[in-house]
Amino acid sequence: MGRLKLNTGIKSIEEEPEERDASVESNRADLLAYSINSEVSAVLAVMRRNVRWGGRYISGDDQLEDSLIQSLKTLRKQIFSWQNPWHTINPALYLQPFLDVIRSDETGAPITGVALLSVYKILTLDVIDQNTVNVEDAMQLVVDAVTSCRFEVTDPSSEEMVLMKILQVLLACMKSKASVMLSNQHVCTIVNTCFRIVHQAGSKSELLQRISRHTMHELVKCIFSHLPDVESAEQTLVNGVTSHKHEIGGLDNDYAFGSKQIENGNGNSELDGQASTVSFGSNASTALVAREENAIGTGGGKDGLPFDLHLMTEPYGVPCMVEIFHFLCSLLNVVEHTGMGPRSNTIAFDEDVPLFALGLINSAIELGGPSIRCHPRLLSLIQDELFRNLMQFGLSVSPLILSMVCSIVLNLYHHLRTELKLQLEAFFSCVILRLAQSRYGASYQQQEVAMEALVDFCRQKTFMVEMYANLDCDITCSNVFEELANLLSKSAFPVNCPLSSMHILALDGLIAVIQGMAERIGNGSVSSEQGPVNLEEYTPFWMVKCDNYSDPNHWVPFVRRRKYIKRRLMIGADHFNRDPKKGLEFLQGTHLLPDKLDPQSVACFFRYTAGLDKNLVGDFLGNHDEFCVQVLHEFAWTFDFQDMNLDTALRLFLETFRLPGESQKIQRVLEAFSERYYEQSPQILANKDAALLLSYSLIMLNTDQHNVQVKKKMTEEDFIRNNRHINGGNDLPREFLTELYHSICKNEIRTTPEQGFGYPEMTPSRWIDLMHKSKKTAPFILSDSRAYLDHDMFAIMSGPTIAAISVVFDNAEHEDVYQTCIDGFLAVAKISACHHLEDVLDDLVVSLCKFTTLLNQSSVEEPVLAFGDDAKARMATVTVFTIANRYGDYIRTGWRNILDCILRLHKLGLLPARVASDAADESELAADPGHGKPITNSLSSVHMQSMGTPRRSSGLMGRFSQLLSLDTEEPRSQPTEQQLAAHQRTLQTIQKCHVDSIFTESKFLQAESLLQLARALIWAAGRPQKGNSSPEDEDTAVFCLELLIAITLSNRDRIVLLWQGVYEHIANIVQSTVMPCALVEKAVFGLLRICQRLLPYKENLADELLRSLQLVLKLDARVADAYCEQITQEVTRLVKANATHIRSLMGWRTITSLLSITARHPEASEAGFDALLFIMTDEAHLLPANYVLCVDAARQFSESRVGQAERSVRALELMAGSVNCLARWSHDAKETMGEEESAKLSQDIGEMWLRLVQGLRKVCLDQREEVRNHALLSLQKCLTGVDEINLPHGLWLQCFDLVIFTMLDDLLEIAQGHQKDYRNMEGTLVLAVKLLSKVFLQLLNELAQLTTFCKLWLGVLSRMEKYLKVKVKGKKNENLQETVPELLKNTLLVMKSRGVLVQRSALGGDSLWELTWLHVNNIAPSLQAEVFPDQDREQSHHKLGETGGSLVSDETDSVSSKESVHAEVAGTGG
């Protein structure tokens, strides 16, 4: 293809035969030729207008034509004849004629201006680039010609035009593609020329001033934007030596480069020295840097070398940038060198030049950026000279200069902070912190600019973290983070003044820091919470090092450890200031000093600990004690006096303590100093004695010059004379002594240094010390976006921050400020929660709650309206509840304040109607979707108190109806639109709060927070008082109780946590209430509800829960009576739902006690009996544990006269039926249990049975005939239907004594007592005596074997005898008269048939026989003959034969057998 391939270097163009490309190239060549031709014409045309050039032209004498015109004409002839491509043509051919015109001093300003314009146009045609032939020479020609431009000045405007054109061409040179071929020397020349024009423009028009300054800025941008592409300075230096030499020509000697050093005895590199004074006179030969061939000083190495001349001829790079940057820095010395005398030109020295220089420096730094650190010379310029000047200009009264200085420092922080650790510390300590506070005399404008700068820094996400890690955690540095945070907090406080922009500015900075922390939370490393730092053993604190400053796993523990040491040292300093001995002992106790003190550790404590009393330190160091002298020498050895002037070193040394007043102490101190100084800086001094004598001399001179009491001051000659022959017998150099003299005269050595933690001024000696320290300081730690140290930082600043934001919020009047504060509050809450700083979160909640206005029990007539109109209160309220919902896990005591707000909203009727019940029912919603009412529904109505009506109605709907009703009797004023809007705002605010979520979501709260929430609810409810409490208090207590029950139900899995507090609160309410009220109702039913809901889930707590129901039994009688029916229904519900979960005796005792009470309550008895019925009819629920209790409860229901007798009968049936359970348990025991267990259960079953029949016995005495008789039948059933239960014989004896005989006796007594309430007792007596007979006969076999059978039998007989003879209502009962003998007869027949009643001995020894007949004869004398008809026959025919006797006997037996069967049937039937 026919494309032009441009190879690197100068090569011929490879043409490929394609006509189109060739024609394009041809057209371009023609275009360039025509362009240059037209420029030649333009120059010639202007020249012809001039008499000098025009006259010669008219004369027609070609010989007389000037060479300038000839060269132009020659160029015109040649351009159209050149056939080669343009980049193969030497640019000098077509540029030289124009450059000759520019150089000529015969041409006037108009001609020079046109020639310059022509060169500018050619440069911008893109003809010349780095591939053009001889481009390097051509570009240098252009620069040389333009910078040495000569022309005649005819009028000011034409001169300005030429100067503008020069600027234009020079800038075009730098922007050209070929600019890379310019040498360092030429670039410096270009900048120098531009600066001279800037200077000259001061007396010219405003336009030239602006254009020249703009050009200077553009040049600096062009040059320094090239820095990232340049090799490092070291490489350039090395390569420069080996590269081939270029011929040096055409260089103006004015522009040679070198260095100059001002301070004698100072070995700083030439770049650190002060630049020579820049002359701003009218002569145009001012150099960038005046060259001095021999640099004074002993510095060596690469930093001490000036740039070699051949380097300045290399293509431009670092060398020219260093020189330009040095020059720009030197411009900042202008005030120092020119003084503040009358101004000789229009540039304002005090503001304009520094501003201009600072602007250029800022551009250079912006474009050079992080590349600067690769070039040590540039970097050292910034670290030392630039920063030193920035420190001075930072305290300028000009806000413009201060603002520019701050911008530069911000840029430097961004790009080079790793190289500027101590410089940044100095800037913040000596500039920002001094200016931002009015006590140092700064103007309001200075304060504002400093604050703006600080806020800009705070907006850098890692700024505060890096300040904390690098400075606050370094024992040799000040606490910059802490000071800045305190400054922001204090500056945000409006003290006795309205809120100003400064307060808002400080607040912005504070919130920027806080939000930076909040943003870092999501980036990890928060959870790995480091524990507290402890020093287990002594290690020299000043030698603690970090293995890897770039790995957070290393540097984070390291800086935390350093901060701990620093804090301990500060505490130690406090102790030391009160008692030096105790201070050192304290530090030994914390392992910061060794158990046996050594001089080095004490010296380092004095050297590196801020806040020490310098008087005490001075006294200690000056002491003659041997240990103190050793400490003094170690102390001196902590200083670095390398290459430092003596007066500077002495100043630094004496700044750290107060020089004692006694001459001996001064001697010791200065000896130690001199020894150290001579060791490090022996350049001029012969020995350490010379250093000591000169130091003494300086102290005396200092006193002489600066003590007001000394009238005659020492002259320079006096000083020099005093110091003769002190340098090993020789004199010191006069210049050296002169310099020392003037230094002391100008700047006093303070022998009483400032105490405390103020912000010092940056003196030259301090700066020198800083530069020394910066070489040895620990590397700068770069922080990433993780929250490594935020916990520690936030703990420091949280208190002042919350206070500051609160005060601004309190004083603010604009919603945007409110929003800023709210953002701050939420960020604080987020950080507190994530770093588990519960105290901070509580403080924040307390602070915010004050702003809700809900806690102010104000006398506002319409608090709801007032709230709706108060944007601040509404925002605060939403924020409080947002925090409660988001970060509730970490709220502790703050819950009380939050609850106060909720209660206030409740009292105002602003809460959703079902906050508490929504919370309580939340877990039931799944089962019943329609159960809960959503919060929005209850809020959808507008809530408003009716105007002009004092009466309050509860709930939102009630209020709304009052608001809208027009047909009521009382006159009501219509609400205005504003009032309606306020109400609407109030409602929307409450909706945003999601108050209900606090309680419905409480199951997600951490345990400690949940416990505190519950305690806060109990606290808010107040302690119940006996007697009357106000309706409002009761309403509050009820509401709190509802919420308490709600969270208890929501947290069933953690009930153990809450239960004790909840139970005690409910118990207090129950025990202190004497009248029915809503509170006790809520308490009792809440308790029942808790039990109902939790029993299925918490079997281990079942007893505890059920025991709590005993509180119901303790209710005051009036209260219990009022709620008995509902309580019973709840208990019934509980039993039916949870019977299987109630297993213990205690639990059942509580339940049955509650049910038993209801037996005598008209309304409650039905429900109570229903529950009992449920338990006793379901065999699964009737257990050994509850058997006796249920039987007892059933007995109480059967005895109860409440309701129909039918229920009593049913209760008796339940009792009688329960015997089947006993039989089943007995059967199961035999089959499944071991002998021992079975025996034990059998014994228990026997006791249960005994309790059952005893219970029935009591009911047998009931006044109601139906119940009484049914009880007897039930008792009979329970006594006779126990074949499957193995009851021991002893139990039956108990049963006869305690149950049967007692019942018979009691009935007899009632019958004889003529009681009117008992009717038809005769029938009952018959049933009773039949029961006796039947039970006796059924158990006869077992009873007969007992030793006490006789006694038992006599008891039976005596009761029958009594029943026979009883008189009911004064007359005997016929029924009994018939029944008793018949039953007795049957009994005797059975006893006879079973061989129980037989005559065993005729000798009267058979007491059973005799006693039986003794009693029987009293009842029915004829019975013996009837039952034993053959008794006499047997006796009279005793001697008959066996066969007859046998027959008779058989016959009798058969008769007896029949009778006994009859008797048994009769007994059963009876």
Side-chain angles (χ1 to χ4, degrees), residues 266-308:
N266 192 337
N268 289 349
S269 69
E270 74 277 11
L271 297 178
D272 296 340
Q274 302 288 339
S276 63
T277 307
V278 179
S279 164
F280 288 89
S282 58
N283 62 322
S285 60
T286 308
L288 276 176
V289 180
R291 183 179 183 192
E292 246 185 63
E293 290 298 333
N294 299 313
I296 299 172
T298 57
K302 66 176 190 296
D303 287 346
L305 288 171
F307 285 119
D308 292 332

Side-chain angles (χ1 to χ4, degrees), residues 352-413:
D352 205 25
V353 173
L355 260 183
F356 176 57
L358 289 168
L360 295 174
I361 289 168
N362 197 29
S363 295
I365 291 166
E366 281 175 350
L367 291 158
S371 307
I372 293 172
R373 71 161 59 89
C374 304
H375 308 290
R377 290 195 173 218
L378 266 178
L379 184 59
S380 66
L381 268 176
I382 287 171
Q383 288 171 324
D384 190 355
E385 187 171 354
L386 173 63
F387 237 107
R388 185 176 69 239
N389 287 324
L390 291 177
M391 298 288 290
Q392 289 174 357
F393 277 101
L395 297 173
S396 162
V397 292
S398 162
L400 287 172
I401 289 180
L402 175 57
S403 181
M404 184 53 76
V405 166
C406 293
S407 296
I408 292 172
V409 176
L410 183 61
N411 273 324
L412 288 171
Y413 167 78

Side-chain angles (χ1 to χ4, degrees), residues 504-518:
I504 305 300
L505 193 58
L507 179 74
D508 283 342
L510 206 52
I511 288 175
V513 177
I514 294 295
Q515 286 182 327
M517 288 185 185

Side-chain angles (χ1 to χ4, degrees), residues 422-433:
L422 298 184
Q423 287 86 339
L424 287 167
E425 179 202 5
F427 179 74
F428 285 108
S429 296
C430 303
V431 177
I432 297 292
L433 286 165

Side-chain angles (χ1 to χ4, degrees), residues 285-535:
S285 60
T286 308
L288 276 176
V289 180
R291 183 179 183 192
E292 246 185 63
E293 290 298 333
N294 299 313
I296 299 172
T298 57
K302 66 176 190 296
D303 287 346
L305 288 171
F307 285 119
D308 292 332
L309 205 52
H310 78 269
L311 272 182
M312 299 309 294
T313 60
E314 290 279 299
Y316 88 90
V318 175
C320 75
M321 294 183 204
V322 170
E323 293 298 342
I324 292 166
F325 203 86
H326 191 140
F327 169 65
L328 295 176
C329 290
S330 72
L331 288 178
L332 298 177
N333 296 325
V334 65
V335 176
E336 185 183 327
H337 291 293
T338 57
M340 299 302 289
R343 294 171 188 148
S344 56
N345 58 62
T346 56
I347 296 183
F349 281 99
D350 56 338
E351 182 172 270
D352 205 25
V353 173
L355 260 183
F356 176 57
L358 289 168
L360 295 174
I361 289 168
N362 197 29
S363 295
I365 291 166
E366 281 175 350
L367 291 158
S371 307
I372 293 172
R373 71 161 59 89
C374 304
H375 308 290
R377 290 195 173 218
L378 266 178
L379 184 59
S380 66
L381 268 176
I382 287 171
Q383 288 171 324
D384 190 355
E385 187 171 354
L386 173 63
F387 237 107
R388 185 176 69 239
N389 287 324
L390 291 177
M391 298 288 290
Q392 289 174 357
F393 277 101
L395 297 173
S396 162
V397 292
S398 162
L400 287 172
I401 289 180
L402 175 57
S403 181
M404 184 53 76
V405 166
C406 293
S407 296
I408 292 172
V409 176
L410 183 61
N411 273 324
L412 288 171
Y413 167 78
H414 180 65
H415 295 302
L416 299 170
R417 58 184 178 276
T418 53
E419 317 298 330
L420 299 170
K421 174 178 166 181
L422 298 184
Q423 287 86 339
L424 287 167
E425 179 202 5
F427 179 74
F428 285 108
S429 296
C430 303
V431 177
I432 297 292
L433 286 165
R434 280 178 74 86
L435 290 183
Q437 301 179 77
S438 53
R439 63 180 170 154
Y440 288 98
S443 67
Y444 181 81
Q445 285 83 359
Q446 282 175 298
Q447 290 177 52
E448 195 165 28
V449 172
M451 187 59 70
E452 282 171 354
L454 176 54
V455 173
D456 283 339
F457 276 100
C458 291
R459 289 183 177 129
Q460 313 308 305
K461 299 298 180 194
T462 59
F463 169 71
M464 282 298 206
V465 190
E466 288 171 352
M467 290 299 103
Y468 180 76
N470 290 289
L471 304 177
D472 288 57
C473 296
D474 189 333
I475 56 168
T476 62
C477 299
S478 52
N479 292 334
V480 170
F481 159 75
E482 208 164 320
E483 298 287 0
L484 292 178
N486 285 336
L487 170 64
L488 289 169
S489 302
K490 285 177 189 169
S491 302
F493 263 87
V495 182
N496 303 325
C497 62
L499 206 61
S500 69
S501 59
M502 182 77 95
H503 298 127
I504 305 300
L505 193 58
L507 179 74
D508 283 342
L510 206 52
I511 288 175
V513 177
I514 294 295
Q515 286 182 327
M517 288 185 185
E519 285 169 24
R520 282 194 289 276
I521 282 168
N523 299 332
S525 85
V526 176
S527 55
S528 57
E529 197 58 55
Q530 304 100 334
V533 179
N534 282 311
L535 300 180

Side-chain angles (χ1 to χ4, degrees), residues 950-1176:
R951 193 176 67 206
R952 282 181 57 191
S953 87
S954 60
L956 297 173
M957 290 305 289
R959 293 266 183 109
F960 192 44
S961 60
Q962 279 190 11
L963 168 69
L964 299 180
S965 60
L966 302 171
D967 53 348
T968 48
E969 303 109 21
E970 298 175 25
R972 300 173 194 274
S973 58
Q974 282 295 302
T976 63
E977 280 187 24
Q978 289 88 342
Q979 288 170 329
L980 285 169
H983 278 275
Q984 195 58 42
R985 285 194 295 271
T986 299
L987 295 181
Q988 287 167 353
T989 301
I990 304 306
Q991 253 181 312
K992 286 180 196 166
C993 289
H994 301 294
V995 179
D996 55 329
S997 299
I998 294 173
F999 304 101
T1000 56
E1001 302 298 315
S1002 65
K1003 57 177 168 287
F1004 301 116
L1005 280 181
Q1006 283 188 7
E1008 182 58 28
S1009 177
L1010 177 66
L1011 187 59
Q1012 293 293 345
L1013 174 57
R1015 285 176 181 167
L1017 279 165
I1018 293 166
W1019 171 82
R1023 191 159 183 83
Q1025 302 293 324
K1026 288 201 175 185
N1028 295 331
S1029 58
S1030 70
E1032 200 168 76
D1033 289 345
E1034 188 186 347
D1035 185 40
T1036 298
V1038 169
F1039 182 67
C1040 289
L1041 182 60
E1042 282 180 347
L1043 293 175
L1044 185 63
I1045 291 165
I1047 63 166
T1048 307
L1049 293 175
S1050 290
N1051 289 276
R1052 65 185 184 210
D1053 295 329
R1054 299 187 285 178
I1055 184 65
V1056 180
L1057 192 70
L1058 301 172
W1059 177 247
Q1060 193 57 36
V1062 174
Y1063 172 75
E1064 285 173 7
H1065 181 56
I1066 291 176
N1068 282 335
I1069 293 170
V1070 166
Q1071 290 166 6
S1072 62
T1073 310
V1074 292
M1075 293 297 285
C1077 64
L1079 180 60
V1080 74
E1081 180 183 355
K1082 189 62 72 178
V1084 171
F1085 292 108
L1087 185 63
L1088 284 163
R1089 196 151 164 236
I1090 290 170
C1091 290
Q1092 274 181 44
R1093 290 274 291 281
L1094 299 186
L1095 272 175
Y1097 303 102
K1098 292 285 166 190
E1099 293 198 6
N1100 56 334
L1101 264 182
D1103 286 359
E1104 197 73 33
L1105 291 167
L1106 291 166
R1107 187 183 291 119
S1108 69
L1109 293 180
Q1110 291 175 4
L1111 286 176
V1112 180
L1113 303 174
K1114 297 177 184 175
L1115 282 169
D1116 184 275
R1118 289 167 288 191
V1119 179
D1121 189 55
Y1123 302 120
C1124 194
E1125 184 178 4
Q1126 296 99 304
I1127 291 172
T1128 312
Q1129 286 168 353
E1130 289 298 321
V1131 173
T1132 304
R1133 199 172 291 134
L1134 183 144
V1135 168
K1136 288 184 175 179
N1138 299 297
T1140 51
H1141 303 291
I1142 307 171
R1143 305 212 174 275
S1144 68
L1145 176 66
M1146 193 284 307
W1148 280 112
R1149 180 174 286 119
T1150 307
I1151 294 293
T1152 53
S1153 302
L1154 288 167
L1155 295 177
S1156 301
I1157 291 170
T1158 64
R1160 289 173 177 74
H1161 196 280
E1163 289 87 12
S1165 59
E1166 193 58 48
F1169 185 69
D1170 187 32
L1172 188 64
L1173 196 63
F1174 172 78
I1175 298 167
M1176 295 188 72

Side-chain angles (χ1 to χ4, degrees), residues 53 55-71 73 77:
W53 313 101
R56 290 180 188 176
Y57 186 75
I58 293 165
S59 70
D61 187 354
D62 284 344
Q63 296 302 316
L64 295 175
E65 269 191 344
D66 192 271
S67 59
L68 295 178
I69 291 182
Q70 276 186 345
S71 61
K73 286 184 175 181
K77 288 175 188 173

